[in-house]
Amino acid sequence: MVVSLRGELDLDTAAQLRSAVDGLLARDATRIVVDLAGLSFCDSVGLSTFTVAGAACAGAGGYLRLAAPTPFLLRLLGVVGVLHRLSVYDSVEAACQADSTHLVVPPDPGPKRS
């Protein structure tokens, strides 16, 4: 199942995404791809919604994959560590097929400073 987001994902709209995911899970749709191409903004509540929804899908035996993030969102996902928690693909098609050649890899943080 592909869920396409448009506009802003924030305190005012994150509950709608969570409700949509809960509705899909209630209908045994446990494999969900979230199309981020139309998302112009995402705050910490939105990011938290992704991780909570991902855990709910995994708990039901499925997955939540993120797809087609904008450069802004991709940077945000990397900075806050979501790239380490959820699979993020460069396109919806790649996410639906789990094409690992199009998986977005978190940047190497480099050597740790003492």
Side-chain angles (χ1 to χ4, degrees):
M1 177 66 59
V2 176
V3 175
S4 297
L5 302 182
R6 301 281 178 258
E8 298 181 357
L9 181 61
D10 56 20
L11 177 64
D12 295 327
T13 59
Q16 293 171 345
L17 174 59
R18 182 62 194 175
S19 178
V21 170
D22 287 345
L24 291 170
L25 291 173
R27 295 191 322 253
D28 292 326
T30 61
R31 298 176 179 179
I32 301 170
V33 172
V34 180
D35 180 359
L36 305 173
L39 196 62
S40 60
F41 176 80
C42 184
D43 69 6
S44 61
V45 175
L47 294 170
S48 176
T49 302
F50 289 142
T51 57
V52 169
C57 289
Y63 57 74
L64 181 100
R65 296 177 183 155
L66 304 180
T70 62
F72 160 77
L73 191 54
L74 182 58
R75 185 174 190 295
L76 182 62
L77 294 170
V79 167
V80 299
V82 174
L83 289 177
H84 293 284
R85 292 187 193 103
L86 296 173
S87 297
V88 181
Y89 293 82
D90 63 7
S91 70
V92 171
E93 181 180 358
C96 290
Q97 297 174 357
D99 183 347
S100 63
T101 63
H102 292 273
L103 191 60
V104 176
V105 180
D108 183 357
K112 291 187 178 194
R113 296 181 182 178
S114 331

